[in-house]
Amino acid sequence: MVTLDGKPLYPMRCSSTLSYELSESERELYDATTDYLLYIYNKAQILNRTASQLALAVFQRRLASSTWALLRSMERRVEKIDGIISKIEADEITEDQLQRMEIQQEEQARSSPELYSVPTDEAEPAEGMEQDEEEENKALGNMVASSLADLYYERDCVLELVKKARAVYESGCESKFEKLRDVIESPEYADEKLLIFTEHKDTLEYLADKIRRLLGNHDAVLTIKGGMPRDERHRAEEQFKQDKDVRVLVATD
Protein backbone atom coordinates (compact mmCIF):
# COMPACT_ATOMS: atom_id res chain seq x y z
CA MET A 1 0.00 0.00 0.00
CA VAL A 2 1.22 3.51 -0.84
CA THR A 3 0.28 7.11 -0.10
CA LEU A 4 -1.23 9.40 -2.74
CA ASP A 5 2.26 10.48 -3.80
CA GLY A 6 3.43 6.87 -4.19
CA LYS A 7 5.47 6.50 -1.00
CA PRO A 8 5.18 3.18 0.90
CA LEU A 9 2.62 3.42 3.67
CA TYR A 10 4.24 0.73 5.81
CA PRO A 11 7.84 -0.40 6.34
CA MET A 12 8.97 -3.28 4.16
CA ARG A 13 8.39 -6.67 5.76
CA CYS A 14 10.62 -9.63 4.97
CA SER A 15 9.51 -13.14 5.93
CA SER A 16 11.81 -16.13 6.09
CA THR A 17 11.76 -19.62 7.59
CA LEU A 18 14.78 -20.67 9.62
CA SER A 19 15.41 -24.40 9.43
CA TYR A 20 17.40 -26.50 11.89
CA GLU A 21 18.54 -30.09 12.25
CA LEU A 22 17.69 -32.22 15.28
CA SER A 23 20.59 -33.67 17.22
CA GLU A 24 20.85 -37.44 17.61
CA SER A 25 19.42 -37.33 21.16
CA GLU A 26 16.57 -35.06 20.04
CA ARG A 27 15.78 -37.40 17.15
CA GLU A 28 15.70 -40.38 19.53
CA LEU A 29 13.31 -38.49 21.82
CA TYR A 30 11.12 -37.48 18.87
CA ASP A 31 10.91 -41.06 17.57
CA ALA A 32 10.26 -42.53 21.01
CA THR A 33 7.51 -40.00 21.69
CA THR A 34 5.91 -40.74 18.33
CA ASP A 35 5.94 -44.46 19.11
CA TYR A 36 4.26 -43.78 22.46
CA LEU A 37 1.59 -41.57 20.87
CA LEU A 38 0.82 -44.24 18.29
CA TYR A 39 0.54 -46.75 21.13
CA ILE A 40 -2.06 -44.53 22.82
CA TYR A 41 -4.01 -44.10 19.60
CA ASN A 42 -3.98 -47.80 18.66
CA LYS A 43 -4.82 -48.89 22.20
CA ALA A 44 -7.87 -46.63 22.24
CA GLN A 45 -9.30 -47.52 18.82
CA ILE A 46 -12.31 -49.34 20.28
CA LEU A 47 -13.08 -47.81 23.67
CA ASN A 48 -11.86 -44.23 23.51
CA ARG A 49 -10.93 -43.23 19.97
CA THR A 50 -12.18 -39.63 19.89
CA ALA A 51 -10.64 -38.63 23.20
CA SER A 52 -7.34 -40.29 22.26
CA GLN A 53 -7.16 -38.09 19.16
CA LEU A 54 -7.12 -35.08 21.46
CA ALA A 55 -4.23 -36.57 23.44
CA LEU A 56 -2.32 -37.16 20.21
CA ALA A 57 -2.84 -33.56 19.06
CA VAL A 58 -1.83 -32.08 22.42
CA PHE A 59 1.36 -34.11 22.84
CA GLN A 60 2.45 -33.66 19.22
CA ARG A 61 2.11 -29.90 19.50
CA ARG A 62 4.08 -29.82 22.72
CA LEU A 63 6.74 -32.07 21.23
CA ALA A 64 7.12 -29.54 18.40
CA SER A 65 7.17 -26.63 20.85
CA SER A 66 10.12 -27.50 23.10
CA THR A 67 11.75 -30.34 25.00
CA TRP A 68 10.83 -28.63 28.27
CA ALA A 69 7.12 -28.47 27.33
CA LEU A 70 7.15 -32.16 26.43
CA LEU A 71 9.01 -33.05 29.65
CA ARG A 72 6.46 -31.23 31.81
CA SER A 73 3.57 -32.92 29.97
CA MET A 74 5.05 -36.37 30.45
CA GLU A 75 5.69 -35.70 34.15
CA ARG A 76 2.04 -34.72 34.54
CA ARG A 77 0.99 -37.85 32.65
CA VAL A 78 2.95 -40.02 35.11
CA GLU A 79 1.15 -38.28 37.99
CA LYS A 80 -2.23 -39.04 36.42
CA ILE A 81 -1.35 -42.70 35.81
CA ASP A 82 0.04 -43.09 39.35
CA GLY A 83 -3.19 -41.65 40.71
CA ILE A 84 -5.30 -44.25 38.91
CA ILE A 85 -2.93 -47.08 39.92
CA SER A 86 -3.15 -45.99 43.57
CA LYS A 87 -6.95 -46.02 43.45
CA ILE A 88 -7.05 -49.51 41.97
CA GLU A 89 -4.53 -50.88 44.46
CA ALA A 90 -6.50 -49.27 47.30
CA ASP A 91 -9.72 -50.90 45.96
CA GLU A 92 -11.26 -47.47 45.41
CA ILE A 93 -12.00 -48.42 41.79
CA THR A 94 -11.98 -51.75 39.96
CA GLU A 95 -10.61 -52.64 36.54
CA ASP A 96 -14.22 -52.95 35.32
CA GLN A 97 -14.83 -49.38 36.46
CA LEU A 98 -11.66 -48.31 34.63
CA GLN A 99 -13.10 -49.72 31.39
CA ARG A 100 -16.41 -47.95 32.04
CA MET A 101 -14.49 -44.70 32.55
CA GLU A 102 -13.05 -45.08 29.05
CA ILE A 103 -16.47 -45.71 27.56
CA GLN A 104 -17.86 -42.66 29.35
CA GLN A 105 -15.00 -40.52 28.04
CA GLU A 106 -15.75 -41.66 24.52
CA GLU A 107 -19.48 -41.04 24.89
CA GLN A 108 -18.80 -37.54 26.19
CA ALA A 109 -16.39 -36.83 23.34
CA ARG A 110 -18.97 -37.95 20.78
CA SER A 111 -21.89 -36.08 22.35
CA SER A 112 -19.92 -32.88 23.08
CA PRO A 113 -17.21 -32.62 20.40
CA GLU A 114 -16.58 -28.98 21.26
CA LEU A 115 -15.08 -30.13 24.56
CA TYR A 116 -12.48 -32.17 22.70
CA SER A 117 -11.66 -29.88 19.81
CA VAL A 118 -8.45 -27.94 19.36
CA PRO A 119 -9.33 -24.30 20.08
CA THR A 120 -9.15 -21.58 17.46
CA ASP A 121 -6.85 -18.58 17.77
CA GLU A 122 -9.88 -16.55 18.88
CA ALA A 123 -10.59 -18.81 21.88
CA GLU A 124 -10.50 -16.92 25.16
CA PRO A 125 -8.24 -18.29 27.89
CA ALA A 126 -9.79 -19.32 31.17
CA GLU A 127 -9.15 -17.22 34.26
CA GLY A 128 -5.46 -17.57 35.08
CA MET A 129 -4.97 -20.38 32.55
CA GLU A 130 -3.85 -20.75 28.95
CA GLN A 131 -6.32 -22.35 26.56
CA ASP A 132 -3.80 -25.09 25.78
CA GLU A 133 -3.56 -25.86 29.51
CA GLU A 134 -7.27 -26.67 29.52
CA GLU A 135 -6.74 -28.96 26.53
CA GLU A 136 -3.84 -30.69 28.21
CA ASN A 137 -5.75 -31.23 31.44
CA LYS A 138 -8.48 -32.98 29.45
CA ALA A 139 -5.95 -35.05 27.51
CA LEU A 140 -4.00 -36.07 30.61
CA GLY A 141 -7.23 -37.09 32.32
CA ASN A 142 -8.11 -39.56 29.57
CA MET A 143 -7.03 -43.11 30.25
CA VAL A 144 -6.53 -45.64 27.46
CA ALA A 145 -5.69 -48.55 29.76
CA SER A 146 -8.28 -51.24 30.48
CA SER A 147 -6.33 -53.08 33.19
CA LEU A 148 -3.77 -52.54 35.93
CA ALA A 149 -1.15 -54.26 33.77
CA ASP A 150 -1.84 -51.75 30.98
CA LEU A 151 -1.36 -48.88 33.41
CA TYR A 152 1.97 -50.24 34.62
CA TYR A 153 3.13 -50.70 31.03
CA GLU A 154 2.16 -47.17 30.03
CA ARG A 155 3.83 -45.71 33.12
CA ASP A 156 7.08 -47.49 32.22
CA CYS A 157 6.85 -46.05 28.69
CA VAL A 158 6.26 -42.52 29.96
CA LEU A 159 9.02 -42.74 32.58
CA GLU A 160 11.45 -43.69 29.80
CA LEU A 161 10.34 -40.63 27.82
CA VAL A 162 10.78 -38.45 30.90
CA LYS A 163 14.34 -39.80 31.23
CA LYS A 164 15.12 -39.07 27.56
CA ALA A 165 13.54 -35.61 27.63
CA ARG A 166 15.34 -34.63 30.82
CA ALA A 167 18.67 -35.76 29.35
CA VAL A 168 18.12 -33.55 26.28
CA TYR A 169 17.00 -30.61 28.43
CA GLU A 170 19.88 -30.90 30.91
CA SER A 171 22.40 -31.12 28.06
CA GLY A 172 21.66 -27.44 27.48
CA CYS A 173 21.72 -27.89 23.70
CA GLU A 174 18.37 -27.70 21.94
CA SER A 175 18.60 -27.24 18.18
CA LYS A 176 15.69 -24.84 17.87
CA PHE A 177 17.03 -22.59 20.64
CA GLU A 178 20.50 -22.62 19.10
CA LYS A 179 18.96 -21.20 15.92
CA LEU A 180 17.22 -18.52 17.99
CA ARG A 181 20.53 -17.78 19.74
CA ASP A 182 22.08 -17.08 16.33
CA VAL A 183 19.39 -14.47 15.67
CA ILE A 184 19.69 -12.84 19.09
CA GLU A 185 23.49 -12.61 18.86
CA SER A 186 23.58 -11.55 15.21
CA PRO A 187 25.04 -8.05 14.63
CA GLU A 188 22.23 -7.55 12.12
CA TYR A 189 19.70 -7.43 14.97
CA ALA A 190 21.89 -5.88 17.66
CA ASP A 191 19.75 -2.73 17.83
CA GLU A 192 16.41 -4.44 17.27
CA LYS A 193 13.74 -5.40 19.77
CA LEU A 194 12.58 -9.00 19.36
CA LEU A 195 9.01 -10.24 19.78
CA ILE A 196 8.84 -14.02 20.14
CA PHE A 197 5.58 -15.98 20.01
CA THR A 198 5.11 -19.51 21.31
CA GLU A 199 2.06 -21.67 21.84
CA HIS A 200 2.68 -23.03 25.33
CA LYS A 201 3.28 -21.36 28.68
CA ASP A 202 5.90 -23.98 29.59
CA THR A 203 7.90 -23.05 26.49
CA LEU A 204 7.44 -19.34 27.21
CA GLU A 205 8.94 -19.75 30.69
CA TYR A 206 11.75 -21.90 29.29
CA LEU A 207 12.59 -19.30 26.61
CA ALA A 208 12.42 -16.34 28.99
CA ASP A 209 14.85 -18.05 31.39
CA LYS A 210 17.27 -19.10 28.63
CA ILE A 211 17.29 -15.66 26.96
CA ARG A 212 17.80 -13.85 30.28
CA ARG A 213 20.82 -16.05 30.95
CA LEU A 214 22.07 -15.45 27.41
CA LEU A 215 21.76 -11.65 27.71
CA GLY A 216 22.95 -11.60 31.32
CA ASN A 217 20.10 -9.28 32.25
CA HIS A 218 16.84 -10.45 33.83
CA ASP A 219 15.07 -7.15 33.13
CA ALA A 220 15.84 -7.29 29.39
CA VAL A 221 13.09 -9.88 28.86
CA LEU A 222 9.34 -9.47 29.46
CA THR A 223 6.55 -12.00 29.04
CA ILE A 224 2.86 -11.91 28.19
CA LYS A 225 0.66 -14.97 28.56
CA GLY A 226 -2.97 -15.96 28.62
CA GLY A 227 -4.64 -15.60 31.99
CA MET A 228 -2.74 -12.38 32.81
CA PRO A 229 -5.02 -9.47 33.75
CA ARG A 230 -5.52 -7.15 30.79
CA ASP A 231 -3.92 -4.16 32.52
CA GLU A 232 -0.77 -6.19 33.24
CA ARG A 233 -0.52 -7.20 29.59
CA HIS A 234 -0.88 -3.56 28.50
CA ARG A 235 1.83 -2.43 30.93
CA ALA A 236 4.19 -5.07 29.59
CA GLU A 237 3.46 -4.03 26.01
CA GLU A 238 4.13 -0.38 26.76
CA GLN A 239 7.31 -1.14 28.68
CA PHE A 240 8.55 -3.24 25.77
CA LYS A 241 7.88 -0.36 23.37
CA GLN A 242 9.23 2.48 25.51
CA ASP A 243 12.00 1.05 27.73
CA LYS A 244 15.28 0.97 25.80
CA ASP A 245 16.69 -1.61 28.21
CA VAL A 246 13.96 -4.15 27.37
CA ARG A 247 15.04 -6.06 24.31
CA VAL A 248 12.83 -9.16 24.13
CA LEU A 249 9.14 -9.81 24.67
CA VAL A 250 8.05 -13.48 24.75
CA ALA A 251 4.31 -14.03 24.36
CA THR A 252 1.95 -16.95 23.95
CA ASP A 253 0.07 -16.60 20.71
Side-chain angles (χ1 to χ4, degrees):
M1 298 180 67
V2 296
T3 62
L4 293 177
D5 58 1
K7 295 180 180 179
L9 191 58
Y10 301 111
M12 177 66 70
R13 299 292 190 227
C14 298
S15 178
S16 62
T17 298
L18 304 180
S19 61
Y20 60 95
E21 293 290 334
L22 294 178
S23 66
E24 182 177 349
S25 58
E26 287 175 313
R27 172 60 63 184
E28 289 179 0
L29 173 62
Y30 184 93
D31 291 342
T33 303
T34 301
D35 289 342
Y36 166 70
L37 295 175
L38 291 174
Y39 161 78
I40 286 183
Y41 184 77
N42 292 329
K43 186 71 178 177
Q45 283 293 302
I46 298 176
L47 289 180
N48 202 6
R49 181 173 182 174
T50 307
S52 71
Q53 289 173 332
L54 172 70
L56 273 169
V58 168
F59 284 121
Q60 285 174 330
R61 286 161 58 188
R62 293 182 74 83
L63 173 61
S65 181
S66 69
T67 300
W68 176 249
L70 177 67
L71 172 60
R72 294 295 297 124
S73 290
M74 291 303 176
E75 289 175 337
R76 293 169 191 141
R77 182 71 176 178
V78 171
E79 291 175 4
K80 291 285 186 180
I81 295 172
D82 280 342
I84 298 295
I85 289 176
S86 296
K87 288 183 178 180
I88 293 177
E89 292 179 336
D91 294 326
E92 295 179 20
I93 63 173
T94 66
E95 293 187 0
D96 287 342
Q97 288 174 318
L98 179 63
Q99 292 185 23
R100 287 199 292 273
M101 286 168 55
E102 287 197 65
I103 295 172
Q104 290 171 355
Q105 290 169 3
E106 178 65 10
E107 290 174 347
Q108 183 182 27
R110 291 183 181 278
S111 62
S112 304
E114 71 280 357
L115 297 177
Y116 289 87
S117 60
V118 177
T120 64
D121 290 340
E122 290 76 27
E124 283 295 318
E127 184 64 28
M129 182 181 290
E130 291 282 357
Q131 182 68 47
D132 78 276
E133 289 181 272
E134 288 190 288
E135 286 176 58
E136 182 175 325
N137 287 338
K138 289 184 291 187
L140 291 177
N142 293 331
M143 290 293 115
V144 298
S146 56
S147 69
L148 186 59
D150 286 344
L151 287 169
Y152 277 124
Y153 177 77
E154 184 181 354
R155 184 176 66 176
D156 288 344
C157 291
V158 180
L159 286 173
E160 184 62 27
L161 289 175
V162 168
K163 180 180 177 181
K164 289 180 180 294
R166 185 164 293 282
V168 172
Y169 172 72
E170 291 181 349
S171 73
C173 297
E174 189 164 0
S175 300
K176 187 187 292 187
F177 184 80
E178 292 307 308
K179 181 63 68 172
L180 176 60
R181 179 201 297 270
D182 291 343
V183 173
I184 293 174
E185 294 181 336
S186 170
E188 181 180 357
Y189 305 110
D191 298 321
E192 300 282 354
K193 289 179 178 282
L194 301 178
L195 175 58
I196 301 172
F197 288 106
T198 185
E199 186 173 4
H200 301 289
K201 188 174 74 172
D202 285 330
T203 301
L204 173 142
E205 293 170 349
Y206 160 79
L207 285 173
D209 179 65
K210 292 275 285 188
I211 296 170
R212 284 169 177 146
R213 293 172 184 270
L214 178 63
L215 298 178
N217 181 1
H218 183 278
D219 296 332
V221 182
L222 297 176
T223 62
I224 293 178
K225 53 194 174 186
M228 284 179 64
R230 190 176 300 273
D231 59 339
E232 287 187 23
R233 294 203 301 267
H234 287 168
R235 283 199 297 270
E237 291 170 13
E238 286 305 308
Q239 186 177 355
F240 175 64
K241 294 176 184 177
Q242 305 298 333
D243 190 337
K244 62 181 179 61
D245 294 325
V246 176
R247 187 180 173 199
V248 179
L249 175 63
V250 187
T252 50
D253 55 4

